[in-house]
Amino acid sequence: MAVTDPSPVPAAAPHDAAARGATARGTTEHEGILRRQSARESAARTYARALPIVPVRARGLTIEGADGRRYLDCLSGAGTLALGHNHPVVLEAIRGVLDSGAPLHVLDLATPVKDAFTTELFRTLPPGLADRARIQFCGPAGTDAVEAALKLVRAATGRTGLLAFTGAYHGMTAGALAASGGATDVRVTRLPYPQDYRCPFGVGGPRGAELAAHWTESLLDDTKAGVPQPAGMILEPVQGEGGVIPAPDAWLRRMRAITEQRSIPLIADEVQTGVGRTGAFWAVDHSGVVPDVMVLSKAIGGSLPLAVIVYRDDLDVWPPGAHAGTFRGNQLAMAAGAATLSYVRENDLAARAATLGARMLDQLNALAKEFPYIGDVRGRGLMIGVELVDPDPSSGGPTSGPASASASAHASASPSAPAPRNGLEGRSLHRGGAGVPAQGGGADGRDGRARNVRGGDVRGEELRDGDLFPSRPDHSEDPLFANRRAPRPGAPGIAGAVRDACLERGLIVELGGRHSSVVRLLPPLTITDEQAAAVIDRLADAFAAVARAQHLT
């Protein structure tokens, strides 16, 4: 939706006393509200600390504060606002319910509004799930839907363990936190999530994803791994709070195969990735994966609180009341959500997100060549991250370029695109398969006994740590590490400065990633070409300002 003037409102002219007075009153109100918030609200508040604004009006991409300034909002309620602020179809749907005299609170009773929402939601689900899906309406937050999903698979399997991934974020309640990357005291098996820039195996690309998949399979099949058969695996098709890390499609298909072969329900957390955000209606659509359970919230409520899980009917074994909540019947959110789902589907906003997101990634990669503290640019559709790093090349090893080429590849990938020849598709990761040599011996006839780095049989020899585990291995001749760029340390201080500089220029962004060093962009799917250009221009200006201020050029 177009915005006629997205730039900050200028200060009143000196000769206009009325305008000066209005500006002064607005500033006073703005400062007073912020002061009272600081005095009254919990120390746990988050966004309010980094974004000292007081929104009073909003439309589409634009927010106007109490002080009269306007901002381009690329936070969008942490991805909630698929259509931006106060979209006409959302407002019309809400007014329709209010004007109809329908009850606003109905617990989990059947209503026409709920029926319309469920029908529209099922229309968008991945083929293979919609025809046999069941839906559970949860408390109005995504974290409660995660809790419901975990309870569901435990009830259906009779097992308790859980498989989750490094870098994950699934919410702030106890069970959801236990499955997230920052957990401490947990009963969850943590698996490596593939990523290119900070690959846990140091290789990145398809080979890194293959190693991650093999690790998962090996752990599940190793009778001495200490990992009993789990109740389920939960994953994000694109990790959001983890730093905007898209999972490779081939790896997702491999996770589906691994779980299916072992009767482990696969839970896809689409709270932030759903409703067109990544360039497909659901992020799993890119890979063609059909999960057993989908966790949905944020955009499905059309800006109002709503959370559900949808799952295969054969998992529907829990008794009445196994998961409940007083506010699971939010009529206004269901009406707004149905209108949003329908609008995104009918106007093919997912395809629009794919096209515009790819263009923005290209523009950001061009900026990365200009600013050495941009370590990586990545994302999918209109879910974009820019990782900022220490610009000193000696801090993290040599580099071969300032930004990753993987982002554009992710953005342009399609479900029908063939996997890379050295990727996961068509390769066996079982012991003795094409991907990994059998542990019992190699093709050269060796008997599988350990051998030292000089090639001799280790029997009768003393092993030195340096032989097998050199403190600084030289991978320069190893084809796995050819052209591999060593990642530099994250720079949360620089990232915070960029966020502040963006706010000064009328652009709202937030940070994520392992050390809060990733600048995140989550604009509404209705963003225009002109607005997207304005976002990039303001971000580029912020990058330049921080580079000058911190002498990073």
Side-chain angles (χ1 to χ4, degrees), residues 337-402:
T340 298
L341 293 168
S342 175
Y343 191 90
V344 171
R345 177 179 56 81
E346 292 174 357
N347 292 277
D348 202 7
L349 293 189
R352 165 71 176 164
T355 300
L356 185 55
R359 185 190 310 159
M360 294 176 73
L361 284 168
D362 287 343
Q363 293 167 334
L364 290 168
N365 270 306
L367 287 177
K369 298 176 182 177
E370 184 177 350
F371 300 105
Y373 64 84
I374 298 180
D376 195 32
V377 174
R378 54 185 180 256
R380 200 159 200 175
L382 289 174
M383 190 172 180
I384 296 171
V386 181
E387 183 166 355
L388 306 185
V389 298
D390 185 338
D392 180 6
S394 65
S395 64
T399 65
S400 60

Side-chain angles (χ1 to χ4, degrees), residues 290-376:
V290 179
D292 302 300
V293 185
M294 292 178 68
V295 181
L296 312 177
S297 188
K298 291 192 184 293
I300 67 163
S303 77
L304 298 180
L306 188 63
V308 306
I309 58 171
V310 290
Y311 51 91
R312 283 194 349 254
D313 54 5
D314 60 304
L315 297 175
D316 197 30
V317 299
W318 47 8
H323 197 78
T326 301
F327 294 102
R328 55 192 157 144
N330 191 334
Q331 292 271 88
L332 293 180
M334 291 175 192
T340 298
L341 293 168
S342 175
Y343 191 90
V344 171
R345 177 179 56 81
E346 292 174 357
N347 292 277
D348 202 7
L349 293 189
R352 165 71 176 164
T355 300
L356 185 55
R359 185 190 310 159
M360 294 176 73
L361 284 168
D362 287 343
Q363 293 167 334
L364 290 168
N365 270 306
L367 287 177
K369 298 176 182 177
E370 184 177 350
F371 300 105
Y373 64 84
I374 298 180
D376 195 32

